Amino acid sequence: MGPGEAASPTDCEIAEHLGELIARQGWVTLTGGRPTGVMDAALRGASRTGGLTIGVLPSDTSAAASEWASLRIVTGMGEARNIVNVLTSQILFVCGMNAGTASEVAFALKIGRHTILLNAGPGSLQFWPALGEKFFHAASSPEEAIGIARDILDRQAQQ
Amino acid sequence: MGPGEAASPTDCEIAEHLGELIARQGWVTLTGGRPTGVMDAALRGASRTGGLTIGVLPSDTSAAASEWASLRIVTGMGEARNIVNVLTSQILFVCGMNAGTASEVAFALKIGRHTILLNAGPGSLQFWPALGEKFFHAASSPEEAIGIARDILDRQAQQ
Amino acid sequence: MGPGEAASPTDCEIAEHLGELIARQGWVTLTGGRPTGVMDAALRGASRTGGLTIGVLPSDTSAAASEWASLRIVTGMGEARNIVNVLTSQILFVCGMNAGTASEVAFALKIGRHTILLNAGPGSLQFWPALGEKFFHAASSPEEAIGIARDILDRQAQQ
Amino acid sequence: MGPGEAASPTDCEIAEHLGELIARQGWVTLTGGRPTGVMDAALRGASRTGGLTIGVLPSDTSAAASEWASLRIVTGMGEARNIVNVLTSQILFVCGMNAGTASEVAFALKIGRHTILLNAGPGSLQFWPALGEKFFHAASSPEEAIGIARDILDRQAQQ
């Protein structure tokens, strides 16, 4: 998850590298599916590495999807699709921060989905933990984020 | 698409065989994802034949999904997920008929998605064509339904 | 409920008269809220008679609403707003029939909401009862439809 | 908008007083409609003062609504109803902060809906402005919040 048109080059680099690492784990990469920003970069990284990719689109056609989304879920529900993204994901990786991304982090913490932030800025690190400390994580690199995710999945598998 | 708990044994046999044929075409099989009726049977047929299967769930967890849904989209939106099913599908195969199934056929004809009915009963064959003749089709066997679908996709590819 | 742009003049006359009668009962009139067809006519009839009117809009702004919708619920969810219409209504009055309207009737019968059809054509009277006979009603005039609705509400109040 | 079960007594006092002031302006009060926390308190304040009140419910029945919601919109879409709340509101008043409330603030700033925070804590005042400074406001009392809202509406009316 992360900004679309407003994503910084660094957000996109991190997202693309994360997509590669997610695919190497054998995990499925799911994003908001539009052909821009973090959504597009993560799908590109995962797809080029041979991973399965899903784009969950806000529009009512699949025309405006990232070319790297091998499966396209067409919701026709606008921003409500952000909720589908969060509910469907086992773990959220978040690169960068803007208002749309914040709605996904908020919803993830509300329903108790583990959320790992990268490149989100100091404001995020102070604001979000108070809303759901147990499920909030921060990583300084894609590799660290994958490590945190593996630990979470290992713990869940033991329960 | 088709009834869940209320599906007849014939609806489920047709759905399972359709799932097999869809998978053999190399197409993705998408259903409402619950572990019952036509949804479950179609995913089972497709999955056993090596096809990719998607379940789009009404619930807000993936717990109550068909075991044959290899990918589970969790919408948390109740019956509104029927609209996601229709928007995401290129062609709808419908086995049997009840009120929930009718809502999907109605929505498909509204947005112009080709819909192929099997085992729907004489009432359907008289009612639906008046609401969207161009996109309504009936088949008397899974093989005939696949043939109709191939013709539609061929025509769309030529446009 | 009923067709928008495709509504017949008769559909709209019935809807406007129904809106008047609903308002005279002191009931709230809720429609899909767009400025066309049955949606617009029913709100106009109710509003001119002093009734409270609600439009539940598919769009993500209130700009394209019927001028007769005194309250405008903006869903941004496209056709998924049909489900909100049905869930929110105590009783559905349906004038005319097309694919969009059929999706509302189907959903109403699925969840067990009493539905009264007017001017729906012989196909409807044969098709729908088989999907939910207990909740399906047909009326030949707005006055008869109001009478059916009053009987239903009286029975519900006694339970 | 504001926390439900997790609302503080101060959040609820502010919300109830805001509801009174909103009603005195002749404005409609809309909340998430459940019988708890800020949602319930704001509707109570508005309803007792004679204002029109709307509850937009996440559930698929109107049974679990605040008794102070004179109109109940039943969405059946779970947390996706937060988006309906934001899209339908002309101005958002927010009392307190938790993850669910944050999803509404985030979505409001994304679509450009003016949002006035009360009792949100220092974290909010540092985090949110960076995501949408133009639409973010903070007030130290319900009276100040109403004044900010009137200024916004006056400016919009002049455009």
Side-chain angles (χ1 to χ4, degrees):
Chain A
M1 313 293 155
E5 286 76 8
S8 73
T10 304
D11 291 338
C12 292
E13 277 170 40
I14 293 171
E16 184 163 355
H17 189 34
L18 253 177
E20 293 167 12
L21 297 179
I22 290 169
R24 278 195 206 129
Q25 294 290 330
W27 300 340
V28 177
T29 303
L30 179 153
T31 79
R34 292 197 299 114
T36 181
V38 162
M39 295 176 266
D40 192 52
L43 296 176
R44 184 171 57 241
S47 188
R48 283 182 173 163
T49 314
L52 185 59
T53 54
I54 303 177
V56 179
L57 295 161
S59 54
D60 58 8
T61 79
S62 64
S66 164
E67 64 182 300
W68 306 103
S70 57
L71 294 168
R72 296 161 192 198
I73 306 297
V74 183
T75 69
M77 291 183 190
E79 296 300 319
R81 76 83 151 78
N82 286 2
I83 290 172
V84 179
N85 290 353
V86 173
L87 284 169
T88 302
S89 300
Q90 279 188 273
I91 289 182
L92 269 80
F93 298 97
V94 177
C95 305
M97 184 60 59
N98 69 356
T101 303
S103 77
E104 294 179 308
V105 174
F107 185 58
L109 297 180
K110 168 151 201 197
I111 65 164
R113 201 68 92 236
H114 286 280
T115 301
I116 306 169
L117 263 66
L118 294 117
N119 205 37
S124 278
L125 302 188
Q126 285 157 20
F127 178 70
W128 292 114
L131 303 191
E133 196 173 10
K134 189 179 162 192
F135 298 103
F136 179 88
H137 312 267
S140 55
S141 71
E143 286 78 7
E144 187 188 350
I146 295 289
I148 293 170
R150 289 182 57 117
D151 285 349
I152 293 166
L153 294 174
D154 284 349
R155 279 202 306 275
Q156 289 177 344
Q158 287 165 14
Q159 284 170 355
Chain B
M1 313 294 156
E5 285 76 7
S8 72
T10 305
D11 291 338
C12 292
E13 277 171 40
I14 293 171
E16 183 163 356
H17 189 34
L18 254 177
E20 292 167 12
L21 297 179
I22 290 169
R24 277 194 206 129
Q25 294 289 330
W27 300 339
V28 177
T29 303
L30 178 153
T31 79
R34 292 196 298 114
T36 181
V38 162
M39 294 175 266
D40 191 52
L43 296 177
R44 184 171 58 241
S47 187
R48 282 182 173 164
T49 315
L52 185 59
T53 54
I54 304 178
V56 179
L57 295 160
S59 55
D60 58 7
T61 79
S62 64
S66 164
E67 64 181 302
W68 306 103
S70 56
L71 294 168
R72 295 162 192 197
I73 306 296
V74 183
T75 69
M77 291 183 190
E79 296 299 319
R81 75 84 151 77
N82 286 2
I83 291 173
V84 179
N85 290 353
V86 173
L87 285 169
T88 302
S89 300
Q90 278 189 274
I91 289 182
L92 268 80
F93 298 97
V94 177
C95 304
M97 182 62 57
N98 68 356
T101 303
S103 78
E104 295 180 309
V105 174
F107 185 58
L109 297 180
K110 168 152 199 197
I111 66 163
R113 200 70 91 234
H114 286 282
T115 301
I116 306 169
L117 263 66
L118 295 116
N119 205 36
S124 278
L125 302 187
Q126 284 157 22
F127 178 70
W128 292 115
L131 303 192
E133 195 174 11
K134 190 178 164 194
F135 299 102
F136 179 87
H137 312 268
S140 54
S141 71
E143 286 78 7
E144 188 188 350
I146 295 289
I148 293 170
R150 288 183 56 118
D151 287 349
I152 292 166
L153 294 174
D154 284 349
R155 280 202 307 276
Q156 289 177 345
Q158 288 165 14
Q159 284 170 356
Chain C
M1 314 293 156
E5 286 76 7
S8 72
T10 304
D11 291 338
C12 293
E13 277 171 40
I14 292 171
E16 183 163 355
H17 189 36
L18 253 176
E20 293 167 12
L21 297 179
I22 290 169
R24 278 196 205 129
Q25 294 289 329
W27 300 340
V28 177
T29 303
L30 179 154
T31 79
R34 292 197 299 114
T36 181
V38 163
M39 294 176 268
D40 192 51
L43 296 177
R44 185 170 58 240
S47 188
R48 283 183 173 164
T49 315
L52 184 59
T53 54
I54 303 178
V56 179
L57 296 161
S59 55
D60 58 7
T61 79
S62 64
S66 164
E67 63 181 301
W68 306 103
S70 56
L71 294 168
R72 296 161 190 198
I73 305 298
V74 183
T75 69
M77 290 183 191
E79 296 300 318
R81 76 82 150 79
N82 287 2
I83 290 172
V84 179
N85 290 353
V86 174
L87 285 169
T88 302
S89 300
Q90 278 188 274
I91 289 182
L92 269 81
F93 299 96
V94 177
C95 305
M97 183 60 58
N98 69 356
T101 303
S103 77
E104 295 179 307
V105 175
F107 185 59
L109 297 180
K110 169 151 199 198
I111 66 163
R113 200 69 91 236
H114 286 281
T115 302
I116 306 169
L117 263 67
L118 294 118
N119 205 37
S124 278
L125 302 188
Q126 284 156 20
F127 178 69
W128 293 115
L131 302 192
E133 196 174 10
K134 189 179 163 193
F135 299 103
F136 179 87
H137 312 268
S140 55
S141 71
E143 285 77 7
E144 188 188 349
I146 295 289
I148 294 169
R150 289 183 57 118
D151 286 350
I152 293 166
L153 294 175
D154 284 349
R155 280 202 306 276
Q156 290 177 343
Q158 287 165 13
Q159 283 172 356
Chain D
M1 313 293 156
E5 285 76 7
S8 73
T10 305
D11 291 339
C12 293
E13 277 171 40
I14 293 171
E16 184 163 354
H17 189 35
L18 254 177
E20 293 167 10
L21 297 179
I22 289 170
R24 278 196 204 127
Q25 294 290 328
W27 300 340
V28 177
T29 303
L30 179 153
T31 78
R34 292 196 299 114
T36 180
V38 162
M39 294 176 266
D40 192 51
L43 296 177
R44 185 171 55 241
S47 188
R48 284 183 172 163
T49 315
L52 185 59
T53 54
I54 303 177
V56 179
L57 295 160
S59 54
D60 58 8
T61 78
S62 64
S66 164
E67 63 181 303
W68 307 103
S70 56
L71 294 168
R72 295 162 192 198
I73 306 297
V74 183
T75 70
M77 290 183 191
E79 296 300 318
R81 74 86 150 77
N82 286 3
I83 290 173
V84 179
N85 290 354
V86 173
L87 285 169
T88 301
S89 300
Q90 278 188 275
I91 289 182
L92 269 81
F93 298 97
V94 177
C95 305
M97 182 62 57
N98 68 355
T101 303
S103 77
E104 295 180 308
V105 174
F107 185 58
L109 297 180
K110 168 151 200 197
I111 66 164
R113 201 69 91 235
H114 286 281
T115 301
I116 306 169
L117 262 66
L118 293 117
N119 206 36
S124 278
L125 302 187
Q126 284 157 23
F127 178 69
W128 292 114
L131 302 192
E133 196 175 11
K134 189 179 164 193
F135 298 102
F136 179 87
H137 312 268
S140 55
S141 72
E143 285 78 6
E144 188 187 349
I146 295 289
I148 293 170
R150 288 182 57 118
D151 286 350
I152 292 166
L153 294 174
D154 284 348
R155 281 202 306 275
Q156 289 178 344
Q158 287 165 13
Q159 282 171 0

